[in-house]
C-alpha cells in the first residue's frame, strides 16, 4: 500500500494575522508555521496504516524552500520520504495540478489530505486532485479503514454521518475522527534524528497557469464595545428590539 | 450567457433557507452581468418558490435513482447544466455538500473557484470577490481569471432577498453516470436543529462544570429553536458529542445569534464563530477575552443567569406568540 499525504504549511492557530505592503501581502513577521491541523490527522492515520498494514508513506508540499521545516517535521513523525514541488502555492487549482503530477508518477493507492487549509480555507485541493486523476473522492472524512482493495469511509453529513465504501485508488479529505486528537503523533528525538537522513526531493513544477489570485486582504471592521447588561430582562429586550434576533 | 445557481434540496425535496440565499445572490450577480439567472434543482418539490428570489428559469432534474446526495454525480449534472445554459458564473452553497462537489465541478469546467465568498463581486471584470480567509480572522479579495467562474457562497453572508419574477420550470434530463461510491448506511439525528442550519446557536464551555449541567443549555436552545454547541475541551472531555465542537478546528458557526455560556473566548474558539452576527457572552469573569468579541455580555454565574433567562424567554414567547 502506497500512501501520499498532502501537507500544507500554515500559520499556527494562535497567530495574529497582519498584512503588509498596503494590504497586498501576508505579513509573516513573528508567525510560527505548522503542519495544517487537518493534515496532522491525515498523517497520523497514514502512520497507523504504516505500522499496522505495512504502508509506505510519502508526504508532499507545494511551496518554496521555507516550507521544508514543516516537511522535515512530517518525516520526524514517521513519513518515509518527502517531495516538495518548488513553486509558490497561490491558486488551489494549480496546487492540485502539481499534486496530481506527483501522484501520477508515484502510483499511490491512497492520497490523504485535510478538508481545508486554515490559511486560505479553500477546501478545494483534494477534490480537484481526485477529479484530475479520476480517483474516487470523499470529503469531510471522519473514519477510514482499508482492506485489500476496498476502502470503508465515514463521512460527516449535516446532523450525522454516513458510511461509504469504494475501491482504491482514492483521495480522502479528512478531519478529526480520522484519528482522535489524543493519538496525534508528535516527533520524538529518535524521529527527529532519523528525519535528517530521509530523502526530501525537490521537483520543479509543471508549467501551470493560475486560475485565481489574491490582489488584496482585509481585516474585519473593528467591533464596537460589548454592552454589559445587568439582568436577563434587559438582555431579552435588547436582543428583541435592538439586535432584532429574537 | 447566464448565471447558474445550484439550489440543493433535502431528501424530502424541500429547500433550505440557504437555497434561497444562493438564489438571491445569483440574481444579483446576473444583474451585474446583465444576464439571466438559471437555477438547477434535483428532485425538488417546490420549484415555484424560487421565483420569489429572482429565478427566471428553473431546471429540475427528477430521477428516482438520485435520492441520496452523491458529489460526483451531482457535479456532473451541474457541469451539463452549465454547458447547456452557457453559464459564465456557477454559484454553489459553501455548505458541507457544496464544498464537496464544487471542486469537482471546477475541474470538469476547467474553471477557477473561490469558496466561502461573503459579498457580491466588487468588480465583474476582472471578476473579483471577497472571501473568508485565515479562519475568519481576515478576508482576501480573489480574482478569478477563467472564462467560467465558480463561486461558493458562505452562509448568512448575503441574506435572502425577495425579488419576485415570473419564472418557468423545465425538466432537465442530463446523463447520469454510475457512481463508484456506495452508501452503506446513514445515521442522522432527525428533528434536531443542526449547527449548519441554525439561526441561533447556544454553546457551552468548561465553565458549565460537567455534562450533567447541560439540561439548562438544551432547554434554552429548545425555547429559542436553536442548535446546541460546545467548546473544544467540552467535546474532548466527552461531555458533549464531537459534532457539537465549534471553532477553528471544529464546525464554523454563521448564525444570527450565538450565545456563549462559560466559554473563555480563546482565539481558536472565536475564529470559528466570528461570522455570527450577534454574540452574547455569559461568564463569571469580566476579564474573559470573550467580552472583547461579544456584542452583549452578562457578568454572572451561568447557574443563576441561565434559569432566569429561560423563565424570561418563556414569558417573552408567551407575549409575542
Ligand atoms: C491547535 C488548537 C486548536 C483549537 N481549536 C479549538 C476550537 O476549534 N474550538 C475551541 O473551542 N477551542 C479550540 N482550542 C482550545 C482553546 O485554545 C481553548 O482552550 C478552549 O476554547 C477553552 O474552552 P472553554 O472556554 O470552554 O474553557 P476555559 O478556557 O476553561 O473557560 C471556561 C470559562 O468559563 C467561565 N466560568 C467558570 N465558571 C462559570 C460559571 N459558573 N458561569 C459562567 N462562566 C463560568 C470561566 O471564567 C472561563 O472563562 C484549540 C486549541 C489549539 C491549541
Ligand atoms: N501547498 C500545498 N501543498 C500540499 N498540500 C496542500 C497544499 N495546499 C493544500 N493542500 C492539501 O489540501 C488540503 C485542503 O487545502 P485547501 O484546498 O487549500 O483548503 C490541505 O489540508 C492539504 O492536505
Amino acid at each position: 500500500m502506497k500512501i501520499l499525504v498532502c501537507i500544507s504549511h500554515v500559520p499556527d492557530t494562535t497567530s495574529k494575522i497582519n498584512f503588509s505592503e498596503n494590504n497586498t501581502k501576508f505579513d509573516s513577521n513573528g508567525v510560527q508555521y505548522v503542519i495544517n491541523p487537518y493534515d496532522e490527522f491525515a498523517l497520523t492515520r497514514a502512520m497507523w496504516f504504516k505500522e499496522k498494514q505495512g504502508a509506505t508513506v510519502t508526504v508532499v508540499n507545494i511551496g518554496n524552500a521555507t516550507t521544508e521545516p514543516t516537511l522535515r517535521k512530517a518525516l520526524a513523525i514517521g513519513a518515509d520520504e518527502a517531495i516538495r514541488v518548488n513553486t509558490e502555492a497561490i491558486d488551489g487549482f494549480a496546487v492540485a495540478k502539481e499534486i496530481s503530477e506527483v501522484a501520477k508518477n508515484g502510483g499511490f493507492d491512497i492520497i490523504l489530505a485535510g478538508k481545508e487549509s486554515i490559511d486560505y480555507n479553500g477546501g478545494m485541493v483534494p477534490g480537484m486532485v481526485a477529479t484530475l486523476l479520476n480517483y474516487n473522492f470523499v470529503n469531510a472524512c471522519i473514519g477510514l479503514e482499508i482492506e485489500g482493495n476496498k476502502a470503508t469511509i465515514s463521512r460527516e453529513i449535516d446532523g450525522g454521518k454516513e458510511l461509504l465504501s469504494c475501491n482504491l485508488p482514492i483521495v480522502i479529505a479528512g478531519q478529526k475522527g480520522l484519528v482522535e486528537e489524543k493519538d496525534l503523533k508528535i516527533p520524538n528525538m529518535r524521529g527527529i534524528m532519523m528525519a535528517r537522513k530521509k530523502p526530501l526531493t525537490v521537483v520543479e513544477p509543471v508549467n501551470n497557469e493560475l486560475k485565481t489570485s489574491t490582489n488584496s486582504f482585509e481585516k474585519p471592521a473593528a467591533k464596537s464595545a460589548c454592552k454589559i447588561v445587568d439582568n436577563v430582562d434587559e438582555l431579552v429586550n435588547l436582543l428583541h428590539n435592538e439586535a432584532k434576533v429574537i | 450567457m447566464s448565471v447558474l445557481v445550484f439550489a440543493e434540496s433535502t431528501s424530502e425535496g424541500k429547500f433550505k433557507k440557504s437555497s434561497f440565499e444562493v438564489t438571491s445572490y445569483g440574481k444579483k450577480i446576473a444583474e451585474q452581468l446583465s444576464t439571466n439567472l438559471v437555477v438547477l434543482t434535483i428532485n425538488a418539490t417546490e420549484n415555484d418558490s424560487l421565483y420569489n428570489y429572482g429565478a427566471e428559469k428553473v431546471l429540475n432534474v427528477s430521477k428516482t435513482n438520485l435520492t441520496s446526495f452523491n458529489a460526483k454525480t451531482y457535479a456532473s449534472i451541474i457541469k451539463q447544466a452549465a454547458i447547456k445554459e452557457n453559464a459564465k458564473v456557477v454559484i454553489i452553497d459553501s455548505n458541507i455538500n457544496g464544498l464537496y462537489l464544487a471542486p469537482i465541478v471546477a475541474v470538469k469546467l476547467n474553471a477557477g473557484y473561490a469558496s466561502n465568498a461573503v459579498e457580491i463581486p466588487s468588480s465583474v471584470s476582472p471578476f473579483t470577490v471577497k472571501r473568508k480567509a485565515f479562519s475568519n480572522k481576515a478576508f482576501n479579495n480573489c480574482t478569478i481569471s477563467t472564462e467560467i467562474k465558480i463561486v461558493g457562497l458562505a452562509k448568512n453572508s448575503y441574506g435572502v432577498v425577495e425579488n419576485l419574477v415570473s419564472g418557468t420550470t423545465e425538466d432537465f434530463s442530463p446523463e447520469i453516470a454510475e457512481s463508484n461510491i456506495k452508501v452503506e448506511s446513514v445515521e442522522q439525528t432527525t428533528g434536531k436543529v443542526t449547527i449548519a442550519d441554525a439561526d441561533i446557536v447556544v454553546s457551552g464551555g468548561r465553565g458549565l462544570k460537567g455534562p450533567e449541567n447541560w439540561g439548562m443549555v438544551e432547554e434554552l436552545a429548545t425555547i429559542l429553536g436553536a442548535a446546541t454547541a460546545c467548546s473544544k475541551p467540552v467535546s474532548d472531555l466527552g461531555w458533549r458529542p464531537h459534532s457539537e465542537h465549534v471553532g477553528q478546528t471544529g464546525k464554523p458557526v454563521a448564525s444570527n445569534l450565538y450565545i456563549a455560556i462559560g466559554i473563555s473566548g480563546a482565539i481558536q474558539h472565536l475564529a470559528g464563530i466570528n461570522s455570527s452576527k450577534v454574540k452574547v457572552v455569559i461568564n463569571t469573569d469580566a476579564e474573559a477575552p470573550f467580552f472583547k468579541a461579544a456584542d452583549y455580555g452578562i457578568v454572572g454565574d451561568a447557574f443563576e443567569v441561565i434559569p432566569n433567562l429561560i423563565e424570561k424567554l418563556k414569558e417573552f414567547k408567551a407575549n409575542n406568540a
Side-chain angles (χ1 to χ4, degrees):
Chain A
M1 186 176 1
K2 283 190 77 178
I3 302 179
L4 180 67
V5 185
C6 305
I7 302 283
S8 92
H9 162 89
V10 297
D12 166 50
T13 56
T14 55
S15 304
K16 294 261 183 293
I17 303 300
N18 289 306
F19 304 105
S20 62
E21 297 178 35
N22 214 0
N23 284 334
T24 58
K25 292 247 153 30
F26 174 70
D27 182 0
S28 58
N29 252 323
V31 171
Q32 184 88 27
Y33 281 85
V34 294
I35 298 177
N36 185 39
Y38 297 108
D39 306 354
E40 276 189 270
F41 292 104
L43 181 61
T44 302
R45 190 66 192 156
M47 296 329 305
W48 191 91
F49 288 123
K50 176 177 161 150
E51 282 155 26
K52 300 282 193 309
Q53 299 184 353
T56 58
V57 178
T58 305
V59 288
V60 63
N61 171 265
I62 315 305
N64 61 29
T66 61
T67 73
E68 285 194 2
T70 299
L71 280 175
R72 286 277 171 218
K73 185 174 171 201
L75 292 171
I77 287 170
D80 299 295
E81 58 160 346
I83 299 171
R84 179 172 68 82
V85 181
N86 187 26
T87 183
E88 211 82 40
I90 297 171
D91 165 38
F93 204 127
V95 168
K97 266 208 173 129
E98 297 300 343
I99 294 174
S100 69
E101 285 301 316
V102 168
K104 264 182 212 157
N105 300 330
F108 296 97
D109 309 290
I110 306 164
I111 300 177
L112 284 169
K115 75 161 183 183
E116 66 172 17
S117 305
I118 63 163
D119 52 1
Y120 286 87
N121 310 100
M124 60 205 276
V125 168
M128 288 178 166
V129 170
T131 312
L132 288 164
L133 293 166
N134 199 22
Y135 286 7
N136 291 322
F137 169 53
V138 179
N139 204 2
C141 170
I142 51 174
L144 171 68
E145 301 293 339
I146 306 288
E147 236 188 272
N149 192 36
K150 192 175 163 213
T152 312
I153 309 128
S154 312
R155 174 173 90 96
E156 183 179 341
I157 56 175
D158 216 5
K161 60 181 176 185
E162 64 181 8
L163 194 67
L164 307 168
S165 70
C166 68
N167 287 337
L168 304 182
I170 187 168
V171 178
I172 294 288
Q175 60 192 61
K176 182 162 85 182
L178 208 45
V179 297
E180 285 315 316
E181 203 147 14
K182 61 175 173 27
D183 298 325
L184 282 178
K185 291 226 184 279
I186 45 169
N188 57 26
M189 210 49 212
R190 187 161 159 266
I192 294 167
M193 299 300 286
M194 279 170 58
R196 295 199 186 134
K197 296 193 210 91
K198 289 179 180 171
L200 191 165
T201 316
V202 179
V203 300
E204 288 308 312
V206 293
N207 196 0
N208 212 336
E209 48 144 12
L210 295 177
K211 293 182 161 58
T212 63
S213 58
T214 284
N215 29 45
S216 64
F217 297 93
E218 286 173 38
K219 295 234 260 177
K223 239 192 91 307
S224 51
C226 177
K227 259 191 204 169
I228 301 293
V229 186
D230 292 327
N231 57 57
V232 295
D233 291 17
E234 201 184 334
L235 180 66
V236 170
N237 179 27
L238 285 166
L239 292 178
H240 180 58
N241 294 314
E242 187 178 85
K244 299 192 170 31
V245 286
I246 60 170
Chain B
M1 167 171 149
S2 70
V3 169
L4 180 75
V5 163
F6 171 57
E8 196 186 350
S9 46
T10 64
S11 49
E12 290 82 40
K14 302 249 189 293
F15 292 117
K16 293 185 178 171
K17 194 176 128 198
S18 60
S19 304
F20 301 134
E21 184 174 14
V22 281
T23 304
S24 309
Y25 181 75
K27 177 64 181 173
K28 187 71 194 175
I29 297 183
E31 282 171 12
Q32 283 184 306
L33 291 166
S34 314
T35 187
N36 289 334
L37 171 66
V38 181
V39 182
L40 171 70
T41 63
I42 298 178
N43 287 335
T45 51
E46 301 164 337
N47 289 300
D48 297 1
S49 61
L50 297 173
Y51 306 156
N52 296 332
Y53 309 100
E56 281 114 6
K57 178 166 164 183
V58 177
L59 288 183
N60 180 246
V61 181
S62 51
K63 284 272 189 319
T64 47
N65 60 346
L66 282 181
T67 45
S68 64
F69 172 81
N70 180 286
K72 201 169 170 182
T73 311
Y74 276 39
S76 148
I77 295 171
I78 297 172
K79 173 200 164 176
Q80 293 173 63
I83 291 171
K84 172 173 149 28
E85 297 296 328
N86 188 22
K88 289 290 168 279
V89 180
V90 178
I91 294 157
I92 296 171
D93 193 345
S94 281
N95 63 10
I96 197 159
N97 287 345
L99 287 168
Y100 189 176
L101 62 83
I104 307 177
V105 177
V107 172
K108 285 178 184 283
L109 290 170
N110 199 29
Y113 165 45
S115 59
N116 291 314
V118 293
E119 280 177 9
I120 57 162
S122 56
S123 133
V124 288
S125 174
F127 191 95
T128 303
V129 64
K130 180 167 153 181
R131 60 179 299 283
K132 293 187 194 184
F134 299 99
S135 307
N136 288 317
K137 291 180 212 162
F139 303 96
N140 67 320
N141 292 302
C142 177
T143 295
I144 310 178
S145 47
T146 45
E147 199 193 329
I148 303 178
K149 287 107 183 145
I150 317 275
V151 180
L153 181 66
K155 183 195 159 193
N156 260 350
S157 51
Y158 182 70
V160 173
V161 181
E162 292 204 16
N163 194 341
L164 181 66
V165 294
S166 66
T168 52
T169 297
E170 276 177 25
D171 277 327
F172 178 46
S173 305
E175 262 176 52
I176 312 273
E178 275 288 310
S179 166
N180 300 321
I181 300 183
K182 197 169 143 227
V183 180
E184 304 276 357
S185 63
V186 180
E187 258 176 61
Q188 201 160 14
T189 44
T190 44
K192 218 172 162 263
V193 191
T194 66
I195 294 170
D197 279 337
D199 283 329
I200 303 181
V201 173
V202 177
S203 189
R206 200 149 51 183
L208 287 172
K209 312 282 190 281
E212 66 281 4
N213 298 325
W214 246 264
M216 60 181 188
V217 178
E218 297 205 323
E219 191 178 351
L220 179 60
T222 307
I223 294 174
L224 290 166
T228 48
C230 68
S231 68
K232 181 169 173 293
V234 164
S235 73
D236 288 346
L237 289 162
W239 297 357
R240 298 297 292 175
H242 280 306
S243 55
E244 287 197 0
H245 157 203
V246 299
Q248 181 161 8
T249 54
K251 283 208 174 65
V253 181
S255 54
N256 286 330
L257 174 60
Y258 182 77
I259 303 180
I261 308 161
I263 299 177
S264 58
I267 188 165
Q268 297 97 346
H269 185 85
L270 297 177
I273 59 104
N274 262 342
S275 349
S276 289
K277 299 242 157 67
V278 176
K279 295 176 271 286
V280 174
V281 54
I282 297 160
N283 196 307
T284 40
D285 177 7
E287 300 298 315
F290 214 120
F291 285 99
K292 290 208 173 63
D295 301 280
Y296 303 103
I298 293 185
V299 181
D301 185 340
F303 296 95
E304 287 165 24
V305 175
I306 301 306
N308 287 341
L309 183 57
I310 290 170
E311 285 317 307
K312 180 70 203 169
L313 281 168
K314 278 186 184 156
E315 224 176 87
F316 170 81
K317 290 276 158 177
N319 295 335
N320 288 273

